[in-house]
Amino acid sequence: MKNLYYYFGLGLLLCSCKSQIPQSANLYESRYSSLLEYPVDSLAFPRSMSVKTGIIHKVPSKDWTSGFFVGNLWQLYDLTGNKAYKEKAIQWNPFIEKEKHNGNTHDMGFKVYCSYGKGLALVPEKKAAYEKVIVESANTLITRFSPKVQAIRSWDFNKEVWTYPVIIDNMLNLELLFEASKITNDPKYRDIAIQHANTTLKNHFRADNSCYHVVDYDPQTGQPKTKMTHQGYNDDSSWARGQSWAIYGYTMAYRYTKDKAFLQQAEATANYFINNQNMPADGIPYWDFKDPSIPNAPRDVSAATCTASGLIELYGYTKNKTYLDYAKKVISTLSSTNYVIPATVKGPFILEHSTGNWPKNDEIDEPIVYGDYYFLEALLRLKAL
Ligand code: GLY
């Protein structure tokens, strides 16, 4: 019954959008169940796939994307009420647990919070165990914090280029720290998250409120040395997903702090994003707003879904309908056969046309697991409005 209500509600929501869209429930049904068909394997988290060849890119738990697939199973349980998703999520979750000791990267939030964090509210019988994993992970993550820089170090690779790189994506990992403070009543995690958000606010943004991808700091002085890109078109371009991380990250940071400066940055970057002269009419951005090959550049659905989800939350704080309208437009655009993978294609993904790493020619215009994750989150957030 919960299923029927869900699809009926989604249908109403989509019909209320301006553009004409096909019936979406049938489109999604086979895609959703494809996640159940994917075999449980502790070493093979699905990350992306080629629709043309059917080859699935599988990764171990240490990959930054491992938590999204489990998060998708949790969110599908939440959306549909079908217990099969919950059972699968409970099977997959423990494969990520060992990452709580992995201090080699900042991606703890993506891995642990998108999996264990999504399960918290859905399985009361496992709440205490999941909270323990979240707190242990937070303890590992804060070992990467420098009081001098007042930020968490993002990456350890590329040491010949960077000394203390901090990337905009790192904002998303702060949610794990805010939650760890809520769970333990110990403010130390939250304090670090706030310092990191303030440092990023100071150094990552340009005058037009777009952001750099990477800021490299001098760990001795704590001052920024260079500002550049790693996944964007060039150092001065606007990598679309980077803008999404900023919008989502500062909206989330405002949720926990009520700091107006965080809200203002979220709004300013959201305005830059949705009003960008290179934003296509359907709301799905090109992978970088400044790729000179626009309009022939690939799109990035993951940037659209992450922004849409963030903007539904931002709408809640600002009541600015522009944000909600953008999110609805994205969901409406994606509810078509141009974006939903055909039912005949096997593979545990829902949406096509995300772009992972353009400079490395990797995962271009493909289904990618985090595009689906923020899509499902946006559906849940719309449903909750
Ligand atoms: N966090 C890496 C990426 O957005 O591709």
PDB file of all heavy atoms in Angstrom, residues 241-273:
ATOM      1  N   ARG A 241      29.925  19.729 -10.416  1.00  0.00           N
ATOM      2  CA  ARG A 241      29.682  18.986  -9.172  1.00  0.00           C
ATOM      3  C   ARG A 241      30.331  19.681  -7.977  1.00  0.00           C
ATOM      4  O   ARG A 241      29.827  19.606  -6.859  1.00  0.00           O
ATOM      5  CB  ARG A 241      30.116  17.525  -9.281  1.00  0.00           C
ATOM      6  CG  ARG A 241      29.496  16.672  -8.175  1.00  0.00           C
ATOM      7  CD  ARG A 241      29.535  15.180  -8.402  1.00  0.00           C
ATOM      8  NE  ARG A 241      30.850  14.656  -8.635  1.00  0.00           N
ATOM      9  CZ  ARG A 241      31.334  14.308  -9.834  1.00  0.00           C
ATOM     10  NH1 ARG A 241      30.578  14.412 -10.898  1.00  0.00           N
ATOM     11  NH2 ARG A 241      32.555  13.837  -9.964  1.00  0.00           N
ATOM     12  N   GLY A 242      31.441  20.360  -8.234  1.00  0.00           N
ATOM     13  CA  GLY A 242      32.056  21.130  -7.148  1.00  0.00           C
ATOM     14  C   GLY A 242      31.087  22.192  -6.625  1.00  0.00           C
ATOM     15  O   GLY A 242      30.978  22.411  -5.416  1.00  0.00           O
ATOM     16  N   GLN A 243      30.367  22.845  -7.534  1.00  0.00           N
ATOM     17  CA  GLN A 243      29.388  23.857  -7.098  1.00  0.00           C
ATOM     18  C   GLN A 243      28.277  23.176  -6.287  1.00  0.00           C
ATOM     19  O   GLN A 243      27.794  23.714  -5.300  1.00  0.00           O
ATOM     20  CB  GLN A 243      28.787  24.618  -8.293  1.00  0.00           C
ATOM     21  CG  GLN A 243      29.789  25.119  -9.342  1.00  0.00           C
ATOM     22  CD  GLN A 243      31.011  25.811  -8.765  1.00  0.00           C
ATOM     23  OE1 GLN A 243      30.878  26.725  -7.956  1.00  0.00           O
ATOM     24  NE2 GLN A 243      32.202  25.359  -9.164  1.00  0.00           N
ATOM     25  N   SER A 244      27.907  21.966  -6.725  1.00  0.00           N
ATOM     26  CA  SER A 244      26.854  21.220  -6.003  1.00  0.00           C
ATOM     27  C   SER A 244      27.307  20.855  -4.598  1.00  0.00           C
ATOM     28  O   SER A 244      26.530  20.966  -3.639  1.00  0.00           O
ATOM     29  CB  SER A 244      26.517  19.917  -6.726  1.00  0.00           C
ATOM     30  OG  SER A 244      26.308  20.148  -8.078  1.00  0.00           O
ATOM     31  N   TRP A 245      28.572  20.423  -4.494  1.00  0.00           N
ATOM     32  CA  TRP A 245      29.062  20.077  -3.138  1.00  0.00           C
ATOM     33  C   TRP A 245      28.982  21.304  -2.240  1.00  0.00           C
ATOM     34  O   TRP A 245      28.653  21.215  -1.053  1.00  0.00           O
ATOM     35  CB  TRP A 245      30.499  19.568  -3.197  1.00  0.00           C
ATOM     36  CG  TRP A 245      30.777  18.259  -3.889  1.00  0.00           C
ATOM     37  CD1 TRP A 245      31.881  17.988  -4.650  1.00  0.00           C
ATOM     38  CD2 TRP A 245      30.014  17.027  -3.867  1.00  0.00           C
ATOM     39  NE1 TRP A 245      31.848  16.689  -5.108  1.00  0.00           N
ATOM     40  CE2 TRP A 245      30.724  16.076  -4.643  1.00  0.00           C
ATOM     41  CE3 TRP A 245      28.811  16.642  -3.272  1.00  0.00           C
ATOM     42  CZ2 TRP A 245      30.264  14.765  -4.848  1.00  0.00           C
ATOM     43  CZ3 TRP A 245      28.347  15.346  -3.479  1.00  0.00           C
ATOM     44  CH2 TRP A 245      29.061  14.432  -4.249  1.00  0.00           C
ATOM     45  N   ALA A 246      29.309  22.478  -2.810  1.00  0.00           N
ATOM     46  CA  ALA A 246      29.278  23.710  -2.004  1.00  0.00           C
ATOM     47  C   ALA A 246      27.845  24.044  -1.567  1.00  0.00           C
ATOM     48  O   ALA A 246      27.592  24.357  -0.401  1.00  0.00           O
ATOM     49  CB  ALA A 246      29.873  24.868  -2.804  1.00  0.00           C
ATOM     50  N   ILE A 247      26.913  23.958  -2.497  1.00  0.00           N
ATOM     51  CA  ILE A 247      25.512  24.308  -2.190  1.00  0.00           C
ATOM     52  C   ILE A 247      24.956  23.352  -1.123  1.00  0.00           C
ATOM     53  O   ILE A 247      24.391  23.762  -0.108  1.00  0.00           O
ATOM     54  CB  ILE A 247      24.641  24.224  -3.472  1.00  0.00           C
ATOM     55  CG1 ILE A 247      25.086  25.280  -4.483  1.00  0.00           C
ATOM     56  CG2 ILE A 247      23.160  24.358  -3.142  1.00  0.00           C
ATOM     57  CD1 ILE A 247      24.583  25.030  -5.912  1.00  0.00           C
ATOM     58  N   TYR A 248      25.149  22.070  -1.371  1.00  0.00           N
ATOM     59  CA  TYR A 248      24.642  21.057  -0.446  1.00  0.00           C
ATOM     60  C   TYR A 248      25.356  21.177   0.903  1.00  0.00           C
ATOM     61  O   TYR A 248      24.740  21.134   1.969  1.00  0.00           O
ATOM     62  CB  TYR A 248      24.884  19.667  -1.067  1.00  0.00           C
ATOM     63  CG  TYR A 248      24.223  18.516  -0.354  1.00  0.00           C
ATOM     64  CD1 TYR A 248      23.136  17.841  -0.908  1.00  0.00           C
ATOM     65  CD2 TYR A 248      24.709  18.058   0.872  1.00  0.00           C
ATOM     66  CE1 TYR A 248      22.537  16.770  -0.267  1.00  0.00           C
ATOM     67  CE2 TYR A 248      24.120  16.982   1.527  1.00  0.00           C
ATOM     68  CZ  TYR A 248      23.035  16.343   0.944  1.00  0.00           C
ATOM     69  OH  TYR A 248      22.453  15.279   1.593  1.00  0.00           O
ATOM     70  N   GLY A 249      26.691  21.349   0.835  1.00  0.00           N
ATOM     71  CA  GLY A 249      27.506  21.355   2.061  1.00  0.00           C
ATOM     72  C   GLY A 249      27.167  22.521   2.971  1.00  0.00           C
ATOM     73  O   GLY A 249      27.018  22.349   4.188  1.00  0.00           O
ATOM     74  N   TYR A 250      27.020  23.724   2.401  1.00  0.00           N
ATOM     75  CA  TYR A 250      26.726  24.878   3.268  1.00  0.00           C
ATOM     76  C   TYR A 250      25.274  24.879   3.743  1.00  0.00           C
ATOM     77  O   TYR A 250      24.982  25.375   4.837  1.00  0.00           O
ATOM     78  CB  TYR A 250      27.140  26.193   2.591  1.00  0.00           C
ATOM     79  CG  TYR A 250      28.628  26.388   2.800  1.00  0.00           C
ATOM     80  CD1 TYR A 250      29.540  26.028   1.814  1.00  0.00           C
ATOM     81  CD2 TYR A 250      29.123  26.823   4.024  1.00  0.00           C
ATOM     82  CE1 TYR A 250      30.907  26.121   2.042  1.00  0.00           C
ATOM     83  CE2 TYR A 250      30.479  26.921   4.261  1.00  0.00           C
ATOM     84  CZ  TYR A 250      31.364  26.564   3.276  1.00  0.00           C
ATOM     85  OH  TYR A 250      32.709  26.646   3.521  1.00  0.00           O
ATOM     86  N   THR A 251      24.384  24.299   2.963  1.00  0.00           N
ATOM     87  CA  THR A 251      22.994  24.162   3.446  1.00  0.00           C
ATOM     88  C   THR A 251      22.976  23.210   4.648  1.00  0.00           C
ATOM     89  O   THR A 251      22.340  23.479   5.677  1.00  0.00           O
ATOM     90  CB  THR A 251      22.093  23.620   2.316  1.00  0.00           C
ATOM     91  OG1 THR A 251      22.197  24.479   1.190  1.00  0.00           O
ATOM     92  CG2 THR A 251      20.651  23.532   2.758  1.00  0.00           C
ATOM     93  N   MET A 252      23.695  22.103   4.516  1.00  0.00           N
ATOM     94  CA  MET A 252      23.767  21.122   5.613  1.00  0.00           C
ATOM     95  C   MET A 252      24.458  21.731   6.844  1.00  0.00           C
ATOM     96  O   MET A 252      24.011  21.542   7.984  1.00  0.00           O
ATOM     97  CB  MET A 252      24.493  19.870   5.100  1.00  0.00           C
ATOM     98  CG  MET A 252      24.746  18.783   6.099  1.00  0.00           C
ATOM     99  SD  MET A 252      26.305  19.008   6.911  1.00  0.00           S
ATOM    100  CE  MET A 252      27.439  18.807   5.550  1.00  0.00           C
ATOM    101  N   ALA A 253      25.535  22.491   6.616  1.00  0.00           N
ATOM    102  CA  ALA A 253      26.247  23.107   7.746  1.00  0.00           C
ATOM    103  C   ALA A 253      25.331  24.111   8.463  1.00  0.00           C
ATOM    104  O   ALA A 253      25.382  24.249   9.694  1.00  0.00           O
ATOM    105  CB  ALA A 253      27.517  23.791   7.253  1.00  0.00           C
ATOM    106  N   TYR A 254      24.468  24.790   7.700  1.00  0.00           N
ATOM    107  CA  TYR A 254      23.507  25.703   8.329  1.00  0.00           C
ATOM    108  C   TYR A 254      22.500  24.926   9.187  1.00  0.00           C
ATOM    109  O   TYR A 254      22.120  25.356  10.269  1.00  0.00           O
ATOM    110  CB  TYR A 254      22.773  26.530   7.264  1.00  0.00           C
ATOM    111  CG  TYR A 254      21.713  27.426   7.866  1.00  0.00           C
ATOM    112  CD1 TYR A 254      22.065  28.575   8.563  1.00  0.00           C
ATOM    113  CD2 TYR A 254      20.356  27.101   7.764  1.00  0.00           C
ATOM    114  CE1 TYR A 254      21.102  29.390   9.146  1.00  0.00           C
ATOM    115  CE2 TYR A 254      19.388  27.909   8.345  1.00  0.00           C
ATOM    116  CZ  TYR A 254      19.760  29.054   9.033  1.00  0.00           C
ATOM    117  OH  TYR A 254      18.799  29.839   9.619  1.00  0.00           O
ATOM    118  N   ARG A 255      22.105  23.741   8.711  1.00  0.00           N
ATOM    119  CA  ARG A 255      21.154  22.915   9.469  1.00  0.00           C
ATOM    120  C   ARG A 255      21.656  22.685  10.905  1.00  0.00           C
ATOM    121  O   ARG A 255      20.907  22.765  11.863  1.00  0.00           O
ATOM    122  CB  ARG A 255      20.977  21.562   8.776  1.00  0.00           C
ATOM    123  CG  ARG A 255      19.970  20.631   9.451  1.00  0.00           C
ATOM    124  CD  ARG A 255      20.164  19.153   9.039  1.00  0.00           C
ATOM    125  NE  ARG A 255      20.390  18.989   7.636  1.00  0.00           N
ATOM    126  CZ  ARG A 255      21.063  17.938   7.102  1.00  0.00           C
ATOM    127  NH1 ARG A 255      21.507  16.967   7.882  1.00  0.00           N
ATOM    128  NH2 ARG A 255      21.255  17.857   5.819  1.00  0.00           N
ATOM    129  N   TYR A 256      22.946  22.434  11.041  1.00  0.00           N
ATOM    130  CA  TYR A 256      23.493  22.088  12.357  1.00  0.00           C
ATOM    131  C   TYR A 256      23.923  23.298  13.173  1.00  0.00           C
ATOM    132  O   TYR A 256      24.067  23.189  14.395  1.00  0.00           O
ATOM    133  CB  TYR A 256      24.704  21.158  12.191  1.00  0.00           C
ATOM    134  CG  TYR A 256      24.340  19.767  11.728  1.00  0.00           C
ATOM    135  CD1 TYR A 256      24.484  19.394  10.395  1.00  0.00           C
ATOM    136  CD2 TYR A 256      23.841  18.816  12.623  1.00  0.00           C
ATOM    137  CE1 TYR A 256      24.157  18.126   9.961  1.00  0.00           C
ATOM    138  CE2 TYR A 256      23.517  17.538  12.203  1.00  0.00           C
ATOM    139  CZ  TYR A 256      23.674  17.197  10.874  1.00  0.00           C
ATOM    140  OH  TYR A 256      23.352  15.934  10.444  1.00  0.00           O
ATOM    141  N   THR A 257      24.199  24.435  12.513  1.00  0.00           N
ATOM    142  CA  THR A 257      24.797  25.569  13.233  1.00  0.00           C
ATOM    143  C   THR A 257      23.909  26.795  13.311  1.00  0.00           C
ATOM    144  O   THR A 257      24.096  27.632  14.188  1.00  0.00           O
ATOM    145  CB  THR A 257      26.096  26.023  12.525  1.00  0.00           C
ATOM    146  OG1 THR A 257      25.746  26.427  11.181  1.00  0.00           O
ATOM    147  CG2 THR A 257      27.128  24.900  12.497  1.00  0.00           C
ATOM    148  N   LYS A 258      23.017  26.934  12.331  1.00  0.00           N
ATOM    149  CA  LYS A 258      22.203  28.157  12.182  1.00  0.00           C
ATOM    150  C   LYS A 258      23.087  29.396  11.982  1.00  0.00           C
ATOM    151  O   LYS A 258      22.684  30.527  12.296  1.00  0.00           O
ATOM    152  CB  LYS A 258      21.233  28.354  13.366  1.00  0.00           C
ATOM    153  CG  LYS A 258      20.237  27.217  13.518  1.00  0.00           C
ATOM    154  CD  LYS A 258      19.283  27.121  12.324  1.00  0.00           C
ATOM    155  CE  LYS A 258      18.475  25.837  12.316  1.00  0.00           C
ATOM    156  NZ  LYS A 258      18.299  25.201  11.032  1.00  0.00           N
ATOM    157  N   ASP A 259      24.276  29.176  11.456  1.00  0.00           N
ATOM    158  CA  ASP A 259      25.184  30.291  11.144  1.00  0.00           C
ATOM    159  C   ASP A 259      24.743  30.921   9.820  1.00  0.00           C
ATOM    160  O   ASP A 259      24.779  30.277   8.770  1.00  0.00           O
ATOM    161  CB  ASP A 259      26.624  29.753  11.055  1.00  0.00           C
ATOM    162  CG  ASP A 259      27.641  30.865  10.823  1.00  0.00           C
ATOM    163  OD1 ASP A 259      27.277  31.901  10.211  1.00  0.00           O
ATOM    164  OD2 ASP A 259      28.799  30.696  11.227  1.00  0.00           O
ATOM    165  N   LYS A 260      24.351  32.184   9.898  1.00  0.00           N
ATOM    166  CA  LYS A 260      23.810  32.887   8.711  1.00  0.00           C
ATOM    167  C   LYS A 260      24.816  32.965   7.559  1.00  0.00           C
ATOM    168  O   LYS A 260      24.447  32.990   6.380  1.00  0.00           O
ATOM    169  CB  LYS A 260      23.386  34.313   9.103  1.00  0.00           C
ATOM    170  CG  LYS A 260      22.112  34.348   9.935  1.00  0.00           C
ATOM    171  CD  LYS A 260      20.919  34.581   9.026  1.00  0.00           C
ATOM    172  CE  LYS A 260      19.572  34.207   9.587  1.00  0.00           C
ATOM    173  NZ  LYS A 260      19.292  34.427  10.988  1.00  0.00           N
ATOM    174  N   ALA A 261      26.111  33.009   7.901  1.00  0.00           N
ATOM    175  CA  ALA A 261      27.139  33.091   6.842  1.00  0.00           C
ATOM    176  C   ALA A 261      27.092  31.820   5.978  1.00  0.00           C
ATOM    177  O   ALA A 261      27.302  31.885   4.759  1.00  0.00           O
ATOM    178  CB  ALA A 261      28.519  33.256   7.456  1.00  0.00           C
ATOM    179  N   PHE A 262      26.801  30.695   6.597  1.00  0.00           N
ATOM    180  CA  PHE A 262      26.716  29.439   5.833  1.00  0.00           C
ATOM    181  C   PHE A 262      25.480  29.468   4.917  1.00  0.00           C
ATOM    182  O   PHE A 262      25.527  29.074   3.758  1.00  0.00           O
ATOM    183  CB  PHE A 262      26.641  28.223   6.769  1.00  0.00           C
ATOM    184  CG  PHE A 262      27.889  28.009   7.604  1.00  0.00           C
ATOM    185  CD1 PHE A 262      27.874  27.143   8.704  1.00  0.00           C
ATOM    186  CD2 PHE A 262      29.083  28.644   7.296  1.00  0.00           C
ATOM    187  CE1 PHE A 262      29.019  26.930   9.455  1.00  0.00           C
ATOM    188  CE2 PHE A 262      30.237  28.441   8.050  1.00  0.00           C
ATOM    189  CZ  PHE A 262      30.200  27.582   9.140  1.00  0.00           C
ATOM    190  N   LEU A 263      24.393  29.973   5.462  1.00  0.00           N
ATOM    191  CA  LEU A 263      23.162  30.066   4.665  1.00  0.00           C
ATOM    192  C   LEU A 263      23.365  30.998   3.466  1.00  0.00           C
ATOM    193  O   LEU A 263      22.968  30.681   2.337  1.00  0.00           O
ATOM    194  CB  LEU A 263      22.021  30.581   5.545  1.00  0.00           C
ATOM    195  CG  LEU A 263      20.642  30.591   4.898  1.00  0.00           C
ATOM    196  CD1 LEU A 263      20.132  29.167   4.686  1.00  0.00           C
ATOM    197  CD2 LEU A 263      19.638  31.365   5.744  1.00  0.00           C
ATOM    198  N   GLN A 264      24.023  32.121   3.726  1.00  0.00           N
ATOM    199  CA  GLN A 264      24.243  33.098   2.644  1.00  0.00           C
ATOM    200  C   GLN A 264      25.106  32.504   1.527  1.00  0.00           C
ATOM    201  O   GLN A 264      24.861  32.736   0.355  1.00  0.00           O
ATOM    202  CB  GLN A 264      24.909  34.355   3.197  1.00  0.00           C
ATOM    203  CG  GLN A 264      23.896  35.323   3.793  1.00  0.00           C
ATOM    204  CD  GLN A 264      24.538  36.348   4.720  1.00  0.00           C
ATOM    205  OE1 GLN A 264      25.759  36.508   4.752  1.00  0.00           O
ATOM    206  NE2 GLN A 264      23.703  37.033   5.472  1.00  0.00           N
ATOM    207  N   GLN A 265      26.132  31.730   1.928  1.00  0.00           N
ATOM    208  CA  GLN A 265      26.986  31.134   0.895  1.00  0.00           C
ATOM    209  C   GLN A 265      26.211  30.096   0.091  1.00  0.00           C
ATOM    210  O   GLN A 265      26.344  30.016  -1.135  1.00  0.00           O
ATOM    211  CB  GLN A 265      28.241  30.500   1.507  1.00  0.00           C
ATOM    212  CG  GLN A 265      29.272  30.121   0.452  1.00  0.00           C
ATOM    213  CD  GLN A 265      29.718  31.321  -0.366  1.00  0.00           C
ATOM    214  OE1 GLN A 265      30.301  32.264   0.155  1.00  0.00           O
ATOM    215  NE2 GLN A 265      29.435  31.308  -1.675  1.00  0.00           N
ATOM    216  N   ALA A 266      25.408  29.306   0.783  1.00  0.00           N
ATOM    217  CA  ALA A 266      24.598  28.301   0.079  1.00  0.00           C
ATOM    218  C   ALA A 266      23.690  29.002  -0.937  1.00  0.00           C
ATOM    219  O   ALA A 266      23.587  28.575  -2.098  1.00  0.00           O
ATOM    220  CB  ALA A 266      23.766  27.493   1.076  1.00  0.00           C
ATOM    221  N   GLU A 267      23.068  30.094  -0.531  1.00  0.00           N
ATOM    222  CA  GLU A 267      22.165  30.811  -1.440  1.00  0.00           C
ATOM    223  C   GLU A 267      22.920  31.443  -2.602  1.00  0.00           C
ATOM    224  O   GLU A 267      22.487  31.384  -3.755  1.00  0.00           O
ATOM    225  CB  GLU A 267      21.408  31.898  -0.678  1.00  0.00           C
ATOM    226  CG  GLU A 267      20.364  31.338   0.259  1.00  0.00           C
ATOM    227  CD  GLU A 267      19.472  32.449   0.776  1.00  0.00           C
ATOM    228  OE1 GLU A 267      18.477  32.761   0.102  1.00  0.00           O
ATOM    229  OE2 GLU A 267      19.798  33.023   1.825  1.00  0.00           O
ATOM    230  N   ALA A 268      24.066  32.057  -2.278  1.00  0.00           N
ATOM    231  CA  ALA A 268      24.830  32.758  -3.325  1.00  0.00           C
ATOM    232  C   ALA A 268      25.310  31.757  -4.381  1.00  0.00           C
ATOM    233  O   ALA A 268      25.229  32.027  -5.585  1.00  0.00           O
ATOM    234  CB  ALA A 268      26.001  33.502  -2.698  1.00  0.00           C
ATOM    235  N   THR A 269      25.803  30.605  -3.945  1.00  0.00           N
ATOM    236  CA  THR A 269      26.290  29.618  -4.921  1.00  0.00           C
ATOM    237  C   THR A 269      25.111  28.958  -5.645  1.00  0.00           C
ATOM    238  O   THR A 269      25.197  28.657  -6.839  1.00  0.00           O
ATOM    239  CB  THR A 269      27.221  28.591  -4.242  1.00  0.00           C
ATOM    240  OG1 THR A 269      28.269  29.319  -3.584  1.00  0.00           O
ATOM    241  CG2 THR A 269      27.860  27.647  -5.242  1.00  0.00           C
ATOM    242  N   ALA A 270      24.001  28.779  -4.952  1.00  0.00           N
ATOM    243  CA  ALA A 270      22.795  28.249  -5.605  1.00  0.00           C
ATOM    244  C   ALA A 270      22.337  29.202  -6.711  1.00  0.00           C
ATOM    245  O   ALA A 270      21.988  28.767  -7.821  1.00  0.00           O
ATOM    246  CB  ALA A 270      21.678  28.053  -4.586  1.00  0.00           C
ATOM    247  N   ASN A 271      22.371  30.491  -6.430  1.00  0.00           N
ATOM    248  CA  ASN A 271      21.944  31.465  -7.438  1.00  0.00           C
ATOM    249  C   ASN A 271      22.887  31.443  -8.637  1.00  0.00           C
ATOM    250  O   ASN A 271      22.448  31.516  -9.790  1.00  0.00           O
ATOM    251  CB  ASN A 271      21.867  32.879  -6.831  1.00  0.00           C
ATOM    252  CG  ASN A 271      20.805  32.945  -5.735  1.00  0.00           C
ATOM    253  OD1 ASN A 271      19.907  32.090  -5.681  1.00  0.00           O
ATOM    254  ND2 ASN A 271      20.905  33.914  -4.850  1.00  0.00           N
ATOM    255  N   TYR A 272      24.183  31.348  -8.342  1.00  0.00           N
ATOM    256  CA  TYR A 272      25.171  31.243  -9.426  1.00  0.00           C
ATOM    257  C   TYR A 272      24.840  30.027 -10.298  1.00  0.00           C
ATOM    258  O   TYR A 272      24.886  30.089 -11.528  1.00  0.00           O
ATOM    259  CB  TYR A 272      26.582  31.091  -8.829  1.00  0.00           C
ATOM    260  CG  TYR A 272      27.631  30.739  -9.847  1.00  0.00           C
ATOM    261  CD1 TYR A 272      28.310  31.726 -10.550  1.00  0.00           C
ATOM    262  CD2 TYR A 272      27.910  29.394 -10.143  1.00  0.00           C
ATOM    263  CE1 TYR A 272      29.251  31.393 -11.518  1.00  0.00           C
ATOM    264  CE2 TYR A 272      28.844  29.057 -11.105  1.00  0.00           C
ATOM    265  CZ  TYR A 272      29.510  30.055 -11.789  1.00  0.00           C
ATOM    266  OH  TYR A 272      30.428  29.720 -12.748  1.00  0.00           O
ATOM    267  N   PHE A 273      24.515  28.920  -9.663  1.00  0.00           N
ATOM    268  CA  PHE A 273      24.297  27.645 -10.346  1.00  0.00           C
ATOM    269  C   PHE A 273      23.017  27.675 -11.183  1.00  0.00           C
ATOM    270  O   PHE A 273      23.046  27.435 -12.389  1.00  0.00           O
ATOM    271  CB  PHE A 273      24.217  26.560  -9.270  1.00  0.00           C
ATOM    272  CG  PHE A 273      24.200  25.133  -9.755  1.00  0.00           C
ATOM    273  CD1 PHE A 273      25.361  24.373  -9.761  1.00  0.00           C
ATOM    274  CD2 PHE A 273      23.018  24.518 -10.164  1.00  0.00           C
ATOM    275  CE1 PHE A 273      25.366  23.050 -10.179  1.00  0.00           C
ATOM    276  CE2 PHE A 273      23.010  23.201 -10.581  1.00  0.00           C
ATOM    277  CZ  PHE A 273      24.184  22.465 -10.588  1.00  0.00           C
TER     278      PHE A 273
END
